[in-house]
Short mmCIF file of all heavy atoms in Angstrom, two decimals:
data_model
loop_
_atom_site.label_atom_id
_atom_site.label_comp_id
_atom_site.label_asym_id
_atom_site.label_seq_id
_atom_site.Cartn_x
_atom_site.Cartn_y
_atom_site.Cartn_z
N ILE A 21 -4.84 -1.85 7.02
CA ILE A 21 -5.09 -2.32 5.65
C ILE A 21 -5.35 -3.82 5.72
O ILE A 21 -4.88 -4.50 6.63
CB ILE A 21 -3.93 -2.02 4.69
CG1 ILE A 21 -2.61 -2.62 5.19
CG2 ILE A 21 -3.79 -0.56 4.39
CD1 ILE A 21 -1.55 -2.70 4.10
N THR A 22 -6.08 -4.30 4.75
CA THR A 22 -6.38 -5.74 4.68
C THR A 22 -5.85 -6.28 3.36
O THR A 22 -6.12 -5.70 2.29
CB THR A 22 -7.90 -5.98 4.79
OG1 THR A 22 -8.37 -5.38 6.00
CG2 THR A 22 -8.22 -7.46 4.81
N VAL A 23 -5.07 -7.34 3.45
CA VAL A 23 -4.51 -7.99 2.26
C VAL A 23 -4.94 -9.45 2.29
O VAL A 23 -4.57 -10.19 3.20
CB VAL A 23 -2.97 -7.88 2.23
CG1 VAL A 23 -2.40 -8.55 0.99
CG2 VAL A 23 -2.51 -6.43 2.31
N ASN A 24 -5.77 -9.82 1.32
CA ASN A 24 -6.30 -11.20 1.26
C ASN A 24 -6.90 -11.66 2.59
O ASN A 24 -6.63 -12.76 3.07
CB ASN A 24 -5.19 -12.18 0.82
CG ASN A 24 -4.87 -12.02 -0.66
OD1 ASN A 24 -5.75 -11.71 -1.45
ND2 ASN A 24 -3.62 -12.22 -1.01
N GLY A 25 -7.68 -10.78 3.21
CA GLY A 25 -8.37 -11.12 4.45
C GLY A 25 -7.54 -10.95 5.71
O GLY A 25 -8.06 -11.05 6.82
N LYS A 26 -6.23 -10.70 5.57
CA LYS A 26 -5.36 -10.49 6.74
C LYS A 26 -5.31 -9.01 7.06
O LYS A 26 -5.08 -8.18 6.18
CB LYS A 26 -3.94 -11.00 6.46
CG LYS A 26 -3.66 -12.38 6.97
CD LYS A 26 -2.17 -12.68 6.92
CE LYS A 26 -1.88 -14.09 7.45
NZ LYS A 26 -0.47 -14.42 7.40
N LYS A 27 -5.49 -8.70 8.33
CA LYS A 27 -5.51 -7.30 8.75
C LYS A 27 -4.14 -6.88 9.29
O LYS A 27 -3.52 -7.60 10.09
CB LYS A 27 -6.58 -7.11 9.84
CG LYS A 27 -6.93 -5.67 10.12
CD LYS A 27 -8.10 -5.62 11.10
CE LYS A 27 -8.44 -4.21 11.50
NZ LYS A 27 -9.51 -4.18 12.51
N TYR A 28 -3.67 -5.74 8.85
CA TYR A 28 -2.39 -5.19 9.30
C TYR A 28 -2.61 -3.76 9.80
O TYR A 28 -3.41 -3.01 9.25
CB TYR A 28 -1.38 -5.13 8.14
CG TYR A 28 -1.03 -6.47 7.55
CD1 TYR A 28 -1.74 -6.97 6.45
CD2 TYR A 28 0.02 -7.24 8.05
CE1 TYR A 28 -1.42 -8.20 5.88
CE2 TYR A 28 0.35 -8.47 7.48
CZ TYR A 28 -0.38 -8.94 6.40
OH TYR A 28 -0.06 -10.15 5.84
N ILE A 29 -1.87 -3.41 10.85
CA ILE A 29 -1.89 -2.04 11.38
C ILE A 29 -0.70 -1.30 10.79
O ILE A 29 0.43 -1.79 10.81
CB ILE A 29 -1.81 -2.04 12.92
CG1 ILE A 29 -3.02 -2.76 13.53
CG2 ILE A 29 -1.72 -0.62 13.47
CD1 ILE A 29 -2.83 -3.19 14.97
N THR A 41 4.41 4.03 -2.34
CA THR A 41 4.83 4.37 -0.97
C THR A 41 5.09 3.07 -0.23
O THR A 41 4.49 2.03 -0.55
CB THR A 41 3.73 5.16 -0.23
OG1 THR A 41 2.55 4.36 -0.18
CG2 THR A 41 3.43 6.49 -0.90
N VAL A 42 5.99 3.13 0.75
CA VAL A 42 6.30 1.94 1.55
C VAL A 42 6.06 2.28 3.01
O VAL A 42 6.50 3.32 3.51
CB VAL A 42 7.77 1.48 1.34
CG1 VAL A 42 8.06 0.25 2.20
CG2 VAL A 42 8.03 1.17 -0.12
N SER A 43 5.32 1.41 3.70
CA SER A 43 5.01 1.63 5.11
C SER A 43 5.39 0.41 5.93
O SER A 43 5.41 -0.73 5.42
CB SER A 43 3.51 1.89 5.30
OG SER A 43 3.10 3.01 4.55
N LEU A 44 5.68 0.65 7.21
CA LEU A 44 5.92 -0.44 8.16
C LEU A 44 4.57 -0.86 8.71
O LEU A 44 3.79 -0.02 9.15
CB LEU A 44 6.84 0.05 9.28
CG LEU A 44 7.10 -0.93 10.44
CD1 LEU A 44 7.81 -2.17 9.95
CD2 LEU A 44 7.90 -0.24 11.53
N ILE A 45 4.28 -2.16 8.66
CA ILE A 45 2.99 -2.65 9.14
C ILE A 45 3.21 -3.81 10.12
O ILE A 45 4.29 -4.39 10.18
CB ILE A 45 2.08 -3.11 7.97
CG1 ILE A 45 2.78 -4.21 7.13
CG2 ILE A 45 1.65 -1.94 7.11
CD1 ILE A 45 1.89 -4.84 6.08
N GLU A 46 2.15 -4.10 10.87
CA GLU A 46 2.21 -5.17 11.86
C GLU A 46 0.98 -6.05 11.69
O GLU A 46 -0.14 -5.55 11.60
CB GLU A 46 2.24 -4.56 13.26
CG GLU A 46 2.38 -5.57 14.38
CD GLU A 46 2.36 -4.88 15.75
OE1 GLU A 46 1.24 -4.64 16.26
OE2 GLU A 46 3.44 -4.59 16.26
N ASP A 47 1.21 -7.35 11.63
CA ASP A 47 0.10 -8.31 11.56
C ASP A 47 -0.75 -8.16 12.82
O ASP A 47 -0.24 -8.22 13.94
CB ASP A 47 0.65 -9.73 11.45
CG ASP A 47 -0.44 -10.77 11.21
OD1 ASP A 47 -1.40 -10.83 12.01
OD2 ASP A 47 -0.32 -11.54 10.25
N LYS A 52 3.76 -9.63 14.03
CA LYS A 52 5.00 -9.65 13.26
C LYS A 52 5.01 -8.43 12.32
O LYS A 52 3.98 -8.07 11.76
CB LYS A 52 5.11 -10.94 12.45
CG LYS A 52 6.47 -11.11 11.80
CD LYS A 52 6.63 -12.45 11.11
CE LYS A 52 7.98 -12.51 10.41
NZ LYS A 52 8.19 -13.77 9.70
N LYS A 53 6.19 -7.84 12.18
CA LYS A 53 6.31 -6.63 11.34
C LYS A 53 6.68 -6.99 9.90
O LYS A 53 7.47 -7.90 9.65
CB LYS A 53 7.35 -5.67 11.93
CG LYS A 53 6.89 -5.02 13.24
CD LYS A 53 7.94 -4.07 13.78
CE LYS A 53 7.43 -3.29 14.99
NZ LYS A 53 7.08 -4.15 16.13
N TYR A 54 6.10 -6.23 8.98
CA TYR A 54 6.37 -6.36 7.56
C TYR A 54 6.48 -4.96 6.95
O TYR A 54 6.17 -3.96 7.61
CB TYR A 54 5.24 -7.11 6.84
CG TYR A 54 5.02 -8.53 7.32
CD1 TYR A 54 4.10 -8.82 8.33
CD2 TYR A 54 5.73 -9.59 6.74
CE1 TYR A 54 3.90 -10.13 8.77
CE2 TYR A 54 5.53 -10.90 7.18
CZ TYR A 54 4.62 -11.16 8.19
OH TYR A 54 4.42 -12.45 8.61
N ALA A 55 6.88 -4.93 5.69
CA ALA A 55 6.79 -3.68 4.93
C ALA A 55 5.71 -3.90 3.87
O ALA A 55 5.56 -5.00 3.35
CB ALA A 55 8.12 -3.37 4.26
N VAL A 56 4.94 -2.85 3.59
CA VAL A 56 3.96 -2.96 2.51
C VAL A 56 4.26 -1.89 1.47
O VAL A 56 4.47 -0.72 1.80
CB VAL A 56 2.50 -2.85 3.01
CG1 VAL A 56 2.18 -1.49 3.61
CG2 VAL A 56 1.51 -3.16 1.87
N LYS A 57 4.33 -2.32 0.24
CA LYS A 57 4.51 -1.40 -0.88
C LYS A 57 3.15 -1.20 -1.51
O LYS A 57 2.48 -2.16 -1.90
CB LYS A 57 5.51 -1.99 -1.89
CG LYS A 57 5.80 -1.08 -3.07
CD LYS A 57 6.87 -1.70 -3.96
CE LYS A 57 7.23 -0.80 -5.12
NZ LYS A 57 8.28 -1.39 -5.99
N ARG A 58 2.74 0.07 -1.60
CA ARG A 58 1.41 0.39 -2.15
C ARG A 58 1.60 1.16 -3.44
O ARG A 58 2.18 2.25 -3.45
CB ARG A 58 0.61 1.22 -1.15
CG ARG A 58 0.49 0.54 0.21
CD ARG A 58 -0.04 1.45 1.28
NE ARG A 58 -1.48 1.62 1.22
CZ ARG A 58 -2.21 2.19 2.17
NH1 ARG A 58 -1.64 2.67 3.27
NH2 ARG A 58 -3.51 2.32 2.05
N ILE A 59 1.14 0.57 -4.54
CA ILE A 59 1.29 1.20 -5.86
C ILE A 59 -0.07 1.68 -6.33
O ILE A 59 -1.00 0.89 -6.51
CB ILE A 59 1.87 0.19 -6.88
CG1 ILE A 59 3.16 -0.46 -6.34
CG2 ILE A 59 2.15 0.88 -8.21
CD1 ILE A 59 3.61 -1.67 -7.13
N GLU A 73 5.22 -6.78 -11.60
CA GLU A 73 6.16 -6.80 -10.47
C GLU A 73 5.90 -8.03 -9.60
O GLU A 73 6.83 -8.71 -9.16
CB GLU A 73 6.05 -5.52 -9.65
CG GLU A 73 7.06 -5.42 -8.54
CD GLU A 73 7.12 -4.04 -7.87
OE1 GLU A 73 6.58 -3.06 -8.42
OE2 GLU A 73 7.70 -3.97 -6.78
N ILE A 74 4.62 -8.32 -9.37
CA ILE A 74 4.24 -9.50 -8.59
C ILE A 74 4.71 -10.77 -9.34
O ILE A 74 5.25 -11.70 -8.75
CB ILE A 74 2.71 -9.53 -8.35
CG1 ILE A 74 2.30 -8.36 -7.45
CG2 ILE A 74 2.27 -10.86 -7.76
CD1 ILE A 74 0.81 -8.11 -7.38
N HIS A 77 8.40 -11.46 -8.97
CA HIS A 77 8.70 -12.06 -7.66
C HIS A 77 8.52 -13.59 -7.71
O HIS A 77 9.26 -14.31 -7.06
CB HIS A 77 7.79 -11.48 -6.59
CG HIS A 77 8.32 -10.22 -5.96
ND1 HIS A 77 9.34 -10.22 -5.05
CD2 HIS A 77 7.96 -8.92 -6.14
CE1 HIS A 77 9.59 -8.98 -4.67
NE2 HIS A 77 8.78 -8.18 -5.31
N ILE A 86 14.63 -10.17 -2.45
CA ILE A 86 13.54 -10.07 -1.46
C ILE A 86 12.34 -10.94 -1.88
O ILE A 86 12.00 -11.02 -3.06
CB ILE A 86 13.13 -8.59 -1.27
CG1 ILE A 86 12.36 -8.42 0.05
CG2 ILE A 86 12.34 -8.06 -2.47
CD1 ILE A 86 12.27 -6.98 0.53
N GLU A 87 11.77 -11.63 -0.91
CA GLU A 87 10.61 -12.48 -1.21
C GLU A 87 9.32 -11.68 -1.08
O GLU A 87 9.26 -10.68 -0.37
CB GLU A 87 10.58 -13.70 -0.28
CG GLU A 87 10.26 -13.36 1.16
CD GLU A 87 9.90 -14.57 2.01
OE1 GLU A 87 9.14 -15.42 1.54
OE2 GLU A 87 10.38 -14.63 3.15
N LEU A 88 8.31 -12.12 -1.79
CA LEU A 88 6.99 -11.52 -1.68
C LEU A 88 6.16 -12.38 -0.74
O LEU A 88 5.93 -13.56 -1.00
CB LEU A 88 6.33 -11.45 -3.06
CG LEU A 88 4.96 -10.80 -3.15
CD1 LEU A 88 5.00 -9.33 -2.76
CD2 LEU A 88 4.38 -10.94 -4.56
N VAL A 89 5.74 -11.78 0.38
CA VAL A 89 4.98 -12.53 1.40
C VAL A 89 3.53 -12.71 0.95
O VAL A 89 2.95 -13.79 1.07
CB VAL A 89 5.05 -11.80 2.77
CG1 VAL A 89 4.19 -12.51 3.81
CG2 VAL A 89 6.50 -11.69 3.24
N ASP A 90 2.96 -11.64 0.41
CA ASP A 90 1.55 -11.68 -0.02
C ASP A 90 1.32 -10.49 -0.95
O ASP A 90 2.10 -9.53 -0.97
CB ASP A 90 0.62 -11.59 1.19
CG ASP A 90 -0.77 -12.16 0.89
OD1 ASP A 90 -1.05 -12.50 -0.28
OD2 ASP A 90 -1.59 -12.26 1.84
N SER A 91 0.25 -10.55 -1.72
CA SER A 91 -0.09 -9.43 -2.60
C SER A 91 -1.59 -9.40 -2.85
O SER A 91 -2.28 -10.41 -2.69
CB SER A 91 0.66 -9.54 -3.93
OG SER A 91 0.27 -10.71 -4.62
N ASP A 92 -2.06 -8.24 -3.26
CA ASP A 92 -3.50 -8.06 -3.48
C ASP A 92 -3.68 -6.79 -4.30
O ASP A 92 -2.76 -5.96 -4.37
CB ASP A 92 -4.21 -7.92 -2.13
CG ASP A 92 -5.70 -8.25 -2.22
OD1 ASP A 92 -6.18 -8.54 -3.33
OD2 ASP A 92 -6.38 -8.20 -1.17
N TYR A 93 -4.81 -6.64 -4.92
CA TYR A 93 -5.12 -5.32 -5.51
C TYR A 93 -6.58 -4.97 -5.26
O TYR A 93 -7.44 -5.84 -5.15
CB TYR A 93 -4.73 -5.25 -7.00
CG TYR A 93 -5.60 -6.04 -7.96
CD1 TYR A 93 -6.73 -5.48 -8.55
CD2 TYR A 93 -5.26 -7.36 -8.29
CE1 TYR A 93 -7.50 -6.19 -9.43
CE2 TYR A 93 -6.04 -8.09 -9.17
CZ TYR A 93 -7.16 -7.49 -9.75
OH TYR A 93 -7.93 -8.21 -10.62
N GLN A 94 -6.80 -3.69 -5.15
CA GLN A 94 -8.13 -3.19 -4.78
C GLN A 94 -8.55 -2.09 -5.73
O GLN A 94 -7.75 -1.21 -6.06
CB GLN A 94 -8.09 -2.68 -3.33
CG GLN A 94 -7.81 -3.80 -2.32
CD GLN A 94 -7.27 -3.32 -0.99
OE1 GLN A 94 -7.12 -2.14 -0.75
NE2 GLN A 94 -6.96 -4.25 -0.10
N VAL A 107 -2.33 -1.56 -5.87
CA VAL A 107 -1.72 -2.88 -5.79
C VAL A 107 -0.87 -2.90 -4.52
O VAL A 107 -0.10 -1.98 -4.26
CB VAL A 107 -0.87 -3.19 -7.03
CG1 VAL A 107 -0.14 -4.51 -6.87
CG2 VAL A 107 -1.77 -3.24 -8.28
N LEU A 108 -1.05 -3.95 -3.71
CA LEU A 108 -0.36 -4.05 -2.42
C LEU A 108 0.60 -5.23 -2.43
O LEU A 108 0.22 -6.34 -2.79
CB LEU A 108 -1.39 -4.25 -1.29
CG LEU A 108 -2.50 -3.21 -1.19
CD1 LEU A 108 -3.60 -3.69 -0.25
CD2 LEU A 108 -1.95 -1.89 -0.69
N LEU A 109 1.84 -4.96 -2.03
CA LEU A 109 2.84 -6.02 -1.93
C LEU A 109 3.34 -6.07 -0.49
O LEU A 109 3.89 -5.09 0.02
CB LEU A 109 4.03 -5.76 -2.86
CG LEU A 109 3.86 -6.04 -4.35
CD1 LEU A 109 3.03 -4.95 -5.01
CD2 LEU A 109 5.21 -6.11 -5.04
N VAL A 110 3.12 -7.19 0.19
CA VAL A 110 3.61 -7.36 1.56
C VAL A 110 4.97 -8.04 1.48
O VAL A 110 5.12 -9.10 0.87
CB VAL A 110 2.63 -8.20 2.41
CG1 VAL A 110 3.17 -8.40 3.82
CG2 VAL A 110 1.25 -7.54 2.45
N LEU A 111 5.96 -7.39 2.10
CA LEU A 111 7.35 -7.83 2.01
C LEU A 111 7.96 -7.98 3.40
O LEU A 111 7.47 -7.37 4.35
CB LEU A 111 8.17 -6.80 1.22
CG LEU A 111 7.64 -6.46 -0.18
CD1 LEU A 111 8.12 -5.09 -0.62
CD2 LEU A 111 8.05 -7.52 -1.18
N PRO A 112 9.03 -8.75 3.54
CA PRO A 112 9.69 -8.82 4.86
C PRO A 112 10.22 -7.44 5.24
O PRO A 112 10.56 -6.63 4.36
CB PRO A 112 10.86 -9.79 4.62
CG PRO A 112 10.54 -10.51 3.36
CD PRO A 112 9.71 -9.58 2.54
N TYR A 113 10.30 -7.19 6.53
CA TYR A 113 10.84 -5.91 7.03
C TYR A 113 12.27 -6.13 7.52
O TYR A 113 12.52 -7.02 8.33
CB TYR A 113 9.97 -5.37 8.17
CG TYR A 113 10.56 -4.16 8.85
CD1 TYR A 113 10.84 -3.00 8.14
CD2 TYR A 113 10.85 -4.17 10.22
CE1 TYR A 113 11.39 -1.89 8.76
CE2 TYR A 113 11.39 -3.06 10.85
CZ TYR A 113 11.67 -1.92 10.11
OH TYR A 113 12.22 -0.83 10.71
N TYR A 114 13.19 -5.35 6.99
CA TYR A 114 14.60 -5.44 7.38
C TYR A 114 14.95 -4.23 8.24
O TYR A 114 15.10 -3.12 7.74
CB TYR A 114 15.49 -5.49 6.13
CG TYR A 114 15.37 -6.81 5.38
CD1 TYR A 114 14.38 -6.98 4.41
CD2 TYR A 114 16.20 -7.87 5.66
CE1 TYR A 114 14.24 -8.19 3.73
CE2 TYR A 114 16.08 -9.09 4.99
CZ TYR A 114 15.09 -9.23 4.03
OH TYR A 114 14.96 -10.43 3.36
#
Side-chain angles (χ1 to χ4, degrees):
I21 56 163
T22 304
V23 180
N24 287 328
K26 263 193 180 179
K27 194 174 176 184
Y28 299 92
I29 298 162
T41 59
V42 180
S43 302
L44 175 63
I45 57 173
E46 183 182 85
D47 186 305
K52 189 174 176 181
K53 290 180 173 62
Y54 298 93
V56 64
K57 182 176 182 179
R58 304 168 79 168
I59 308 167
E73 185 170 346
I74 294 167
H77 273 284
I86 199 163
E87 70 166 316
L88 182 63
V89 176
D90 202 354
S91 63
D92 201 358
Y93 72 90
Q94 295 159 3
V107 175
L108 305 167
L109 283 76
V110 179
L111 304 157
Y113 172 59
Y114 290 87

